[in-house]
Amino acid sequence: MKPAKIISASLTVLTLAMVSSCTGSEQAKDPAEAKVEKLLSLMTIDEKIGQMSQLDPGTLGSDENLKKAVRDGRLGSLLNYFGTKEVNEIQRIAVEESRLGIPLLIGRDVIHGYKTIFPIPLGMAASWNPGLVKGAFRIAAEEASSQGIKWTFAPMIDITWDPRWGRIAEGCGEDPFLASAMAAAMVHGIQGDSLSDPASMAACAKHYAGYGFSEGGRDYNTTYITEPVLRNVVLKPFKAARDAGALTFMSAFNDLNGIPASGNEFTLRQILRDEWHFDGFVVSDWASVTEMVSHGYAVDEKDAAAKAINAGVDMEMATTSYFDNIKILLAEKKITQKQIDNAVRSILKVKFRLGLFENPYTDPDAARKILDPSFLEHARTMARQSAVLLKNDKNILPLNRSIGSVAVSGPLADAPRDQLGTWCFDGNAANSVTPLKAISDFLGKEKVNFAPGLGYSRDRSEKGFDQALKTAERSDAVIFFAGEEWILSGEGQSRGEINLPGAQDELISLLDKTRIPLIVVIMAGRPLAIGRLLEEADAVIYAWHGGTMAGPAIADLIFGIESPSGKLPVTFIKGSGQIPFYYYRNNTGRPATPGSWTPIDSIPVENPQSSLGYKSFWLDYGYTPLLPFGFGLSYTTFEYSDLSLSDLSMPMNGKLIIKASVQNTGKMDGDEIAQLYLRDRVGSITRPVRELKGFKRIHLEKGEKTEVVFELTSEDLAFFNGKITAAEPGEFDVWIGPDSSNGLHGEFILEK
Ligand code: NOJ
């Protein structure tokens, strides 16, 4: 058997890479290189160390110290320094008063919007709409760059299988294919068509690598990831970001198989530089260099600096171990001059590519473009397409606009800061349009009866219950806004139990008993275990933390201006005990099947040991998740038919066309996301039960039918088996369908 060699990971990534403004091969011919060499030849060692250092303005104690460091060429980058006037002044010092006039690179966390806040990235991934996501990041870049920010620490593309991990909010979910498509879209949005466009910023693919696998979902924790999982899952979106031209990468906090990510030569040198030929620069995460001392991987900060430099971290964020130790380390021959020169080269090249040397200043008039109405409209569309309809009994939604009155209830109904979500330094709650406001605007205030019932998501007091119930009883429907406050997800904000906090479940149960139609909208930073409310409520929409325009977007969906169209980017579990539980798991030797599961309460007392059948399930959860990856309903219905494959077998260097028809069989126009899944039945290592290999968002008017067409080559079937990356001949299953547990099934053979 002769395995096929891999060129690219996926269909979507390949297409996006082709339109990239800065692909790998273009990087190699970069005209900035000659200028970099010239500058490098003029630099002192102190100036080189300066370029390798990034600080928060607070670190140097005073503004005067900061200005002096910049003037002396001892600082190449700042984070958390912004405002057009302030940035222009510090930049003026760098450009006009430092010896070589090297401009500063100003970075900031602009993760899902700057002032116009979009849904959390996990929500954006639920749109399965890379084009829309690219647009959102373009707007974020336009707004942030107008304030002097030329580098954002985004996209955050850590795959995770653990919804307890608070940072699941910031990433694109569990699936490498979807996350890769999102990663590329985000990089293209941030960096724009031209890097030197004043409205473009440098992207930073983070956190490289493995951070999303923090054990137990506890932030900053150790990770153990086998090389096949690393290459087939974790690294896929990073490769996509690199192929899309991401100028920078951030090394993560976690230790990976015993070696901290910020001192990891395998991921940073072997994979990123030698295999992927990345020629941007790597910045550490905040203090992740010096934290190698706590990890027990470095004796002291000097040793940590040596390890980070040897591994390939070009710039240190927030701490000063480079600043303090590089000269000593050079004298002791623990690091080489060549390593320092290469790091500085990479950093300067990025500054040249961003046009900072020609145009270091920020146009103060550009600031007018903040919160532009067109930006807000984009945020509304993004929030609308991110929301996922999970249940709609008896087509209770959409509500008729001529409804008599509605009760608006729940702790998230009017929580302007919470709806912005985590990692939102610059968004302003005053700009948020809450669901309460949007529904009142839509129906008229007189038709809206507001009684939150609970003051905030963790509220356990039942004081407000009575009023909420009475208010429900005099209304024609209840819309309950459940979820989590923003502070319960994000960095350092992991949870052990991922149920609805506070007394929300109790209040929802009481509202359910009133028999008034009950619609629950969930606004949260993670996929919560919502089994109980999913049974009780008549309709459920999962709206994540939807950003500035979450309210109008939700109102649009509730009143049927548009049908919900998002699909889950992550498996929804029944309870924390199921974690990790993701759709592309490998089969066990004893897979459970319908009927092979004995629920805990049905086991007769003193039954014999063998009575439960020795299958792979949980006595309390069974063997299925609450909702599968890719799931999402619509107000209309879609029917899949006529799956066809261009051939029953595919030559190793050939291609296969897979088609199916999708028809809108319901009563409303709507979008469907058709998904292509594969299963490689037998491999040299065990293979997942399903893997996403393509998706298409299609708009169908009622009654309309269309054909979705996917093309596969052996590259799309390839995987890393512990030794090589290759497609292996044999039998494959293929599905085209609405989610990861349904679809039309076909099969084909990959020839030798
Ligand atoms: C730490 C976070 O892990 C990272 O995502 C962020 O970009 C930096 N701090 C800078 O704020």
Side-chain angles (χ1 to χ4, degrees), residues 442-520:
F442 189 85
L443 283 183
K445 264 203 176 104
E446 63 292 350
K447 287 185 163 190
V448 176
N449 306 317
F450 178 51
L454 291 161
Y456 57 104
S457 75
R458 288 164 295 151
D459 193 354
R460 295 199 166 278
S461 157
E462 299 187 356
K463 264 198 331 239
F465 279 24
D466 234 26
Q467 204 199 343
L469 291 167
K470 283 193 186 120
T471 306
E473 269 154 9
R474 64 184 167 88
S475 309
D476 297 310
V478 183
I479 314 173
F480 189 90
F481 290 87
E484 287 177 311
E485 296 147 76
W486 74 272
I487 193 68
L488 301 188
S489 60
E491 186 181 347
Q493 284 129 17
S494 294
R495 296 181 59 198
E497 298 293 340
I498 55 160
N499 44 9
L500 268 187
Q504 296 184 76
D505 269 327
E506 287 75 5
L507 180 52
I508 291 170
S509 293
L510 292 173
L511 286 166
D512 175 44
K513 291 202 178 82
T514 65
R515 316 302 308 155
I516 313 287
L518 174 61
I519 296 137
V520 177

Coordinates of all heavy atoms in Angstrom, one line a residue, residues 442-520:
F442 N -40.5 46.1 20.0 CA -41.2 45.3 18.9 C -42.7 45.3 19.1 O -43.5 45.6 18.2 CB -40.6 43.9 18.8 CG -41.1 43.2 17.6 CD1 -40.5 43.3 16.4 CD2 -42.2 42.4 17.7 CE1 -40.9 42.7 15.2 CE2 -42.7 41.7 16.5 CZ -42.0 41.8 15.3
L443 N -43.1 44.9 20.4 CA -44.5 44.7 20.6 C -45.2 46.0 21.1 O -46.4 46.1 21.0 CB -44.7 43.7 21.7 CG -44.5 42.2 21.3 CD1 -44.8 41.3 22.5 CD2 -45.5 41.8 20.2
G444 N -44.4 46.9 21.7 CA -45.0 48.0 22.4 C -45.0 47.7 23.9 O -45.3 46.6 24.3
K445 N -44.5 48.7 24.6 CA -44.3 48.5 26.1 C -45.5 47.9 26.8 O -45.4 47.1 27.7 CB -44.0 49.8 26.7 CG -42.5 50.1 26.8 CD -42.2 51.1 28.0 CE -40.8 51.3 28.2 NZ -40.2 52.5 27.6
E446 N -46.7 48.4 26.4 CA -48.0 48.0 27.1 C -48.2 46.5 27.0 O -49.0 46.0 27.8 CB -49.1 48.9 26.5 CG -49.5 48.7 25.1 CD -48.5 49.2 24.0 OE1 -47.5 49.9 24.4 OE2 -48.7 48.9 22.8
K447 N -47.6 45.9 26.0 CA -47.9 44.4 25.9 C -46.8 43.5 26.6 O -46.9 42.3 26.5 CB -47.9 44.0 24.4 CG -49.1 44.5 23.6 CD -48.9 44.0 22.2 CE -50.2 44.0 21.5 NZ -50.1 43.2 20.2
V448 N -45.9 44.2 27.2 CA -44.8 43.4 27.9 C -44.9 43.6 29.4 O -44.8 44.7 29.9 CB -43.4 43.9 27.3 CG1 -42.3 43.2 28.0 CG2 -43.3 43.8 25.8
N449 N -45.0 42.4 30.0 CA -45.1 42.4 31.5 C -43.7 41.9 32.0 O -43.4 40.7 31.8 CB -46.2 41.5 32.0 CG -47.5 41.9 31.3 OD1 -47.8 43.1 31.2 ND2 -48.3 40.9 30.9
F450 N -43.0 42.7 32.7 CA -41.6 42.3 33.1 C -41.5 41.9 34.5 O -41.9 42.7 35.4 CB -40.6 43.4 32.7 CG -39.2 43.1 33.2 CD1 -38.6 41.9 32.8 CD2 -38.5 44.0 33.9 CE1 -37.3 41.7 33.1 CE2 -37.1 43.8 34.3 CZ -36.6 42.6 33.9
A451 N -41.1 40.7 34.8 CA -40.9 40.3 36.2 C -39.7 39.3 36.2 O -39.9 38.2 35.8 CB -42.1 39.7 36.8
P452 N -38.5 39.8 36.5 CA -37.3 38.9 36.3 C -37.3 37.6 37.2 O -36.8 36.6 36.8 CB -36.1 39.8 36.6 CG -36.7 40.9 37.4 CD -38.1 41.1 36.9
G453 N -38.0 37.7 38.3 CA -38.0 36.5 39.2 C -36.7 36.3 40.0 O -36.7 35.9 41.1
L454 N -35.6 36.5 39.3 CA -34.3 36.3 39.9 C -33.4 37.5 39.5 O -33.5 38.0 38.4 CB -33.6 35.0 39.5 CG -34.3 33.7 39.9 CD1 -33.9 32.6 39.0 CD2 -33.9 33.4 41.4
G455 N -32.6 38.0 40.5 CA -31.9 39.2 40.2 C -30.7 39.0 39.3 O -30.2 39.9 38.6
Y456 N -30.1 37.8 39.4 CA -28.9 37.5 38.6 C -28.8 36.0 38.5 O -29.5 35.3 39.2 CB -27.6 38.1 39.2 CG -27.4 37.7 40.7 CD1 -26.4 36.7 41.0 CD2 -28.1 38.2 41.7 CE1 -26.2 36.3 42.3 CE2 -28.0 37.8 43.0 CZ -27.0 36.8 43.3 OH -26.8 36.4 44.6
S457 N -27.9 35.5 37.7 CA -28.0 34.0 37.4 C -27.8 33.1 38.6 O -28.4 32.0 38.6 CB -27.0 33.7 36.2 OG -25.7 33.6 36.7
R458 N -27.0 33.5 39.5 CA -26.7 32.7 40.7 C -27.6 32.9 41.8 O -27.5 32.3 42.9 CB -25.2 32.9 41.2 CG -24.2 32.4 40.3 CD -22.8 33.0 40.6 NE -22.8 34.4 40.3 CZ -22.1 35.3 41.0 NH1 -21.3 35.0 41.9 NH2 -22.2 36.6 40.7
D459 N -28.6 33.8 41.6 CA -29.5 34.2 42.7 C -30.3 32.9 43.2 O -30.9 32.2 42.4 CB -30.5 35.2 42.1 CG -31.3 35.9 43.2 OD1 -31.2 35.5 44.4 OD2 -32.0 36.9 42.9
R460 N -30.3 32.7 44.5 CA -31.0 31.5 45.0 C -32.3 32.0 45.8 O -33.1 31.2 46.2 CB -30.1 30.8 46.0 CG -28.9 30.1 45.4 CD -28.3 29.0 46.2 NE -27.4 28.2 45.4 CZ -27.8 27.3 44.5 NH1 -29.1 27.0 44.4 NH2 -26.9 26.7 43.8
S461 N -32.4 33.3 45.9 CA -33.6 33.8 46.6 C -34.9 33.6 45.8 O -34.9 33.9 44.6 CB -33.4 35.3 46.9 OG -34.6 35.9 47.1
E462 N -35.9 33.1 46.5 CA -37.2 32.9 45.8 C -38.2 34.1 46.0 O -39.3 34.0 45.6 CB -37.8 31.6 46.3 CG -36.9 30.4 46.0 CD -37.6 29.1 46.4 OE1 -38.7 29.0 46.9 OE2 -36.9 28.0 46.1
K463 N -37.6 35.2 46.5 CA -38.4 36.4 46.7 C -39.2 36.9 45.5 O -40.4 37.3 45.6 CB -37.5 37.5 47.2 CG -37.4 37.7 48.6 CD -36.8 39.0 49.1 CE -35.9 39.7 48.2 NZ -34.5 40.0 48.6
G464 N -38.6 36.8 44.4 CA -39.3 37.3 43.2 C -40.2 36.3 42.4 O -40.8 36.6 41.4
F465 N -40.2 35.1 43.0 CA -41.0 34.0 42.3 C -42.5 34.4 42.1 O -43.1 34.2 41.1 CB -40.8 32.7 43.0 CG -39.5 32.0 42.7 CD1 -38.4 32.6 42.3 CD2 -39.5 30.6 42.9 CE1 -37.2 32.0 42.0 CE2 -38.3 29.9 42.6 CZ -37.2 30.6 42.2
D466 N -43.0 34.8 43.2 CA -44.5 35.1 43.2 C -44.9 36.1 42.1 O -45.8 35.8 41.4 CB -44.8 35.7 44.6 CG -45.9 34.9 45.3 OD1 -46.0 33.7 44.9 OD2 -46.6 35.5 46.0
Q467 N -44.1 37.1 42.1 CA -44.4 38.1 41.1 C -44.2 37.6 39.7 O -45.0 37.9 38.8 CB -43.5 39.4 41.3 CG -44.2 40.6 40.7 CD -43.2 41.7 40.5 OE1 -42.1 41.7 41.1 NE2 -43.6 42.7 39.7
A468 N -43.2 36.8 39.5 CA -43.0 36.2 38.2 C -44.1 35.3 37.8 O -44.6 35.3 36.6 CB -41.6 35.5 38.2
L469 N -44.6 34.5 38.7 CA -45.7 33.6 38.4 C -47.0 34.4 38.1 O -47.7 34.1 37.2 CB -45.9 32.6 39.6 CG -44.7 31.6 39.7 CD1 -44.8 30.9 41.1 CD2 -44.7 30.6 38.6
K470 N -47.3 35.4 39.0 CA -48.5 36.2 38.7 C -48.4 36.9 37.4 O -49.4 36.9 36.7 CB -48.7 37.2 39.9 CG -49.2 36.6 41.2 CD -49.6 37.6 42.1 CE -50.0 37.0 43.5 NZ -49.1 37.5 44.6
T471 N -47.3 37.4 37.1 CA -47.1 38.1 35.8 C -47.3 37.1 34.6 O -48.0 37.5 33.6 CB -45.7 38.7 35.7 OG1 -45.5 39.5 36.9 CG2 -45.5 39.6 34.5
A472 N -46.8 35.9 34.8 CA -47.0 34.9 33.7 C -48.5 34.6 33.5 O -49.0 34.5 32.4 CB -46.2 33.6 34.1
E473 N -49.2 34.5 34.7 CA -50.6 34.1 34.6 C -51.5 35.1 33.9 O -52.5 34.8 33.4 CB -51.1 33.7 36.0 CG -50.9 32.3 36.2 CD -50.8 31.9 37.7 OE1 -51.0 32.7 38.5 OE2 -50.5 30.7 37.9
R474 N -51.0 36.4 33.9 CA -51.9 37.4 33.2 C -51.3 37.7 31.8 O -51.6 38.7 31.1 CB -52.1 38.6 34.0 CG -50.8 39.4 34.3 CD -51.1 40.6 35.2 NE -49.9 41.2 35.7 CZ -49.2 42.1 35.1 NH1 -49.6 42.7 34.0 NH2 -48.1 42.6 35.6
S475 N -50.4 36.8 31.3 CA -49.9 37.0 29.9 C -50.2 35.8 29.0 O -50.6 34.7 29.5 CB -48.3 37.1 30.0 OG -48.0 38.0 31.0
D476 N -50.0 36.0 27.7 CA -50.3 34.9 26.8 C -49.2 33.9 26.6 O -49.3 32.9 26.0 CB -50.8 35.5 25.4 CG -52.1 36.3 25.6 OD1 -53.0 35.7 26.2 OD2 -52.1 37.5 25.3
A477 N -48.0 34.4 26.9 CA -46.8 33.5 26.8 C -45.7 34.1 27.7 O -45.7 35.3 28.0 CB -46.3 33.5 25.3
V478 N -44.8 33.2 28.2 CA -43.7 33.6 29.0 C -42.4 33.4 28.2 O -42.2 32.4 27.6 CB -43.6 32.8 30.3 CG1 -42.4 33.3 31.1 CG2 -44.9 32.7 31.0
I479 N -41.6 34.5 28.1 CA -40.3 34.3 27.5 C -39.3 34.5 28.7 O -39.2 35.5 29.3 CB -40.0 35.4 26.4 CG1 -41.2 35.5 25.5 CG2 -38.7 35.0 25.7 CD1 -41.1 36.6 24.5
F480 N -38.6 33.4 29.0 CA -37.7 33.3 30.2 C -36.3 33.4 29.7 O -35.9 32.5 28.9 CB -38.0 32.1 31.0 CG -37.3 32.1 32.3 CD1 -37.9 32.6 33.5 CD2 -36.0 31.6 32.4 CE1 -37.2 32.6 34.7 CE2 -35.3 31.6 33.6 CZ -35.9 32.1 34.8
F481 N -35.5 34.3 30.1 CA -34.1 34.5 29.7 C -33.2 33.9 30.8 O -33.0 34.5 31.9 CB -33.8 35.9 29.4 CG -34.5 36.4 28.1 CD1 -35.8 36.9 28.2 CD2 -33.8 36.2 26.9 CE1 -36.4 37.2 27.0 CE2 -34.5 36.6 25.7 CZ -35.8 37.1 25.8
A482 N -32.8 32.7 30.6 CA -32.0 31.9 31.6 C -30.5 32.0 31.2 O -30.2 32.6 30.1 CB -32.4 30.5 31.6
G483 N -29.6 31.5 32.0 CA -28.2 31.4 31.6 C -27.2 31.7 32.7 O -27.5 31.4 33.8
E484 N -26.1 32.2 32.2 CA -25.0 32.5 33.2 C -24.6 34.0 33.0 O -24.6 34.5 31.9 CB -23.7 31.7 32.7 CG -23.7 30.2 33.0 CD -22.4 29.6 32.4 OE1 -22.1 29.9 31.2 OE2 -21.8 28.9 33.1
E485 N -24.2 34.5 34.1 CA -23.5 35.9 34.1 C -22.2 35.7 33.3 O -21.6 34.6 33.2 CB -23.2 36.4 35.5 CG -24.4 36.6 36.3 CD -24.1 36.3 37.8 OE1 -23.4 37.2 38.4 OE2 -24.4 35.3 38.3
W486 N -21.8 36.8 32.7 CA -20.6 36.7 31.9 C -19.4 36.2 32.7 O -18.5 35.5 32.2 CB -20.3 38.1 31.2 CG -19.7 39.1 32.2 CD1 -20.4 40.0 32.9 CD2 -18.4 39.4 32.4 NE1 -19.6 40.8 33.7 CE2 -18.3 40.4 33.4 CE3 -17.1 38.8 32.0 CZ2 -17.1 40.9 33.9 CZ3 -16.0 39.3 32.5 CH2 -15.9 40.4 33.4
I487 N -19.3 36.5 34.0 CA -18.1 36.2 34.8 C -18.0 34.7 35.1 O -17.0 34.3 35.6 CB -18.1 37.1 36.1 CG1 -16.8 37.1 36.8 CG2 -19.2 36.6 37.0 CD1 -15.7 37.8 36.1
L488 N -19.0 34.0 34.7 CA -18.9 32.5 35.0 C -18.2 31.7 33.9 O -18.1 30.5 33.9 CB -20.3 32.0 35.3 CG -21.1 32.6 36.4 CD1 -22.3 31.8 36.7 CD2 -20.2 32.6 37.7
S489 N -17.8 32.4 32.8 CA -17.0 31.7 31.8 C -15.9 32.7 31.4 O -15.9 33.8 31.7 CB -17.9 31.4 30.5 OG -18.4 32.6 30.0
G490 N -14.9 32.1 30.7 CA -13.8 32.9 30.3 C -12.5 32.5 31.1 O -12.5 31.4 31.8
E491 N -11.4 33.3 31.0 CA -10.2 32.9 31.6 C -10.3 32.8 33.1 O -10.8 33.7 33.8 CB -9.1 33.8 31.2 CG -7.7 33.3 31.7 CD -6.5 34.2 31.5 OE1 -6.7 35.1 30.7 OE2 -5.5 34.0 32.1
G492 N -9.8 31.6 33.7 CA -9.8 31.5 35.1 C -11.2 31.2 35.7 O -11.4 31.3 36.9
Q493 N -12.2 31.0 34.8 CA -13.6 30.9 35.2 C -14.2 29.5 34.8 O -15.1 29.5 34.1 CB -14.4 32.1 34.7 CG -14.1 33.4 35.5 CD -13.8 34.6 34.6 OE1 -14.0 34.6 33.5 NE2 -13.2 35.6 35.3
S494 N -13.6 28.5 35.4 CA -14.1 27.2 35.1 C -15.1 26.8 36.1 O -15.1 27.3 37.2 CB -12.9 26.2 35.1 OG -12.0 26.4 34.1
R495 N -16.0 25.8 35.8 CA -17.0 25.3 36.7 C -16.9 23.8 36.8 O -16.5 23.2 35.8 CB -18.4 25.8 36.3 CG -18.6 27.2 36.2 CD -20.1 27.6 35.8 NE -21.0 27.0 36.7 CZ -22.3 26.8 36.4 NH1 -22.8 27.2 35.2 NH2 -23.2 26.2 37.3
G496 N -17.3 23.3 37.9 CA -17.3 21.8 38.0 C -18.6 21.2 37.5 O -18.6 20.3 36.8
E497 N -19.7 21.8 38.0 CA -21.0 21.4 37.5 C -21.5 22.5 36.5 O -21.4 23.7 36.8 CB -22.0 21.4 38.7 CG -21.6 20.4 39.8 CD -21.7 18.9 39.3 OE1 -22.4 18.7 38.3 OE2 -21.1 18.1 39.9
I498 N -21.9 22.0 35.4 CA -22.3 23.0 34.4 C -23.8 23.1 34.2 O -24.3 23.3 33.1 CB -21.6 22.8 33.1 CG1 -21.9 21.3 32.6 CG2 -20.1 23.0 33.2 CD1 -21.6 21.2 31.1
N499 N -24.5 23.1 35.3 CA -26.0 23.2 35.2 C -26.3 24.7 35.3 O -25.4 25.6 35.4 CB -26.7 22.5 36.4 CG -25.9 22.7 37.7 OD1 -25.0 23.5 37.7 ND2 -26.2 22.0 38.7
L500 N -27.6 25.0 35.2 CA -28.0 26.4 35.3 C -27.8 26.9 36.7 O -28.2 26.2 37.7 CB -29.5 26.5 35.1 CG -30.0 26.8 33.7 CD1 -31.6 27.0 33.7 CD2 -29.4 28.0 33.0
P501 N -27.1 28.0 36.9 CA -26.8 28.4 38.3 C -28.0 28.9 39.0 O -29.0 29.2 38.4 CB -25.7 29.5 38.2 CG -25.5 29.7 36.7 CD -26.4 28.8 35.9
G502 N -27.9 29.0 40.4 CA -28.9 29.6 41.2 C -30.2 28.8 41.2 O -30.2 27.6 41.0
A503 N -31.3 29.5 41.3 CA -32.7 28.8 41.4 C -33.4 28.9 40.1 O -34.6 28.9 40.1 CB -33.5 29.5 42.5
Q504 N -32.7 29.0 39.0 CA -33.4 29.2 37.7 C -34.2 27.9 37.4 O -35.3 28.1 36.9 CB -32.3 29.4 36.6 CG -31.6 30.7 36.8 CD -30.6 31.0 35.6 OE1 -31.0 31.4 34.5 NE2 -29.3 30.8 35.8
D505 N -33.6 26.7 37.6 CA -34.4 25.5 37.2 C -35.7 25.5 38.0 O -36.7 25.1 37.5 CB -33.6 24.3 37.6 CG -32.7 23.8 36.3 OD1 -33.2 24.0 35.2 OD2 -31.6 23.3 36.5
E506 N -35.6 25.9 39.3 CA -36.8 25.8 40.1 C -37.9 26.8 39.6 O -39.1 26.4 39.5 CB -36.5 26.2 41.6 CG -35.7 25.2 42.4 CD -34.2 25.1 42.0 OE1 -33.8 25.9 41.2 OE2 -33.6 24.2 42.5
L507 N -37.5 28.0 39.2 CA -38.5 29.0 38.7 C -39.0 28.5 37.4 O -40.3 28.6 37.2 CB -37.8 30.3 38.6 CG -38.7 31.5 38.1 CD1 -40.0 31.6 38.9 CD2 -38.0 32.8 38.1
I508 N -38.2 27.9 36.6 CA -38.7 27.5 35.3 C -39.7 26.4 35.5 O -40.8 26.3 34.8 CB -37.5 27.0 34.4 CG1 -36.7 28.2 34.0 CG2 -38.0 26.2 33.1 CD1 -35.3 27.8 33.3
S509 N -39.5 25.5 36.4 CA -40.4 24.4 36.7 C -41.8 25.0 37.2 O -42.8 24.5 36.8 CB -39.9 23.5 37.8 OG -38.8 22.8 37.3
L510 N -41.7 26.0 38.0 CA -43.0 26.6 38.5 C -43.7 27.3 37.3 O -44.9 27.2 37.2 CB -42.7 27.6 39.6 CG -42.2 27.0 40.9 CD1 -41.8 28.0 41.9 CD2 -43.3 26.1 41.5
L511 N -43.0 27.9 36.5 CA -43.6 28.6 35.3 C -44.2 27.6 34.4 O -45.3 27.8 33.8 CB -42.5 29.4 34.6 CG -42.1 30.7 35.3 CD1 -40.9 31.3 34.6 CD2 -43.2 31.8 35.3
D512 N -43.5 26.4 34.2 CA -44.0 25.4 33.4 C -45.4 24.9 33.9 O -46.3 24.6 33.2 CB -43.0 24.2 33.4 CG -43.5 23.0 32.7 OD1 -44.1 23.2 31.6 OD2 -43.4 21.9 33.2
K513 N -45.5 24.8 35.2 CA -46.8 24.3 35.8 C -48.0 25.3 35.6 O -49.1 24.9 35.7 CB -46.6 24.1 37.3 CG -45.7 23.0 37.6 CD -45.9 22.4 39.0 CE -45.0 21.2 39.2 NZ -43.6 21.6 39.6
T514 N -47.7 26.5 35.3 CA -48.8 27.5 35.0 C -49.5 27.1 33.7 O -50.6 27.6 33.5 CB -48.3 28.9 34.9 OG1 -47.5 29.0 33.7 CG2 -47.6 29.4 36.1
R515 N -48.9 26.3 32.9 CA -49.5 25.9 31.6 C -49.5 27.0 30.6 O -50.0 26.9 29.5 CB -50.9 25.3 31.6 CG -51.1 24.3 32.7 CD -50.2 23.1 32.7 NE -50.2 22.4 31.4 CZ -49.1 21.6 31.0 NH1 -48.1 21.5 31.8 NH2 -49.2 21.0 29.9
I516 N -49.0 28.2 30.9 CA -48.8 29.3 30.0 C -47.7 28.9 29.0 O -46.7 28.4 29.5 CB -48.4 30.6 30.6 CG1 -49.3 30.9 31.9 CG2 -48.4 31.8 29.7 CD1 -50.7 31.3 31.6
P517 N -47.8 29.0 27.7 CA -46.7 28.7 26.8 C -45.4 29.2 27.3 O -45.3 30.4 27.6 CB -47.1 29.2 25.5 CG -48.6 29.3 25.5 CD -49.0 29.6 27.0
L518 N -44.4 28.4 27.4 CA -43.1 28.8 28.0 C -42.0 28.7 27.0 O -41.6 27.6 26.5 CB -42.8 27.9 29.2 CG -41.5 28.1 29.9 CD1 -41.3 29.5 30.5 CD2 -41.4 27.1 31.1
I519 N -41.4 29.8 26.7 CA -40.2 29.9 25.8 C -39.0 30.2 26.7 O -39.0 31.2 27.4 CB -40.4 30.9 24.7 CG1 -41.6 30.6 23.9 CG2 -39.2 31.1 23.9 CD1 -42.5 31.7 23.6
V520 N -38.0 29.4 26.6 CA -36.7 29.7 27.3 C -35.6 30.0 26.3 O -35.4 29.3 25.4 CB -36.3 28.5 28.2 CG1 -35.0 28.8 28.9 CG2 -37.4 28.2 29.2

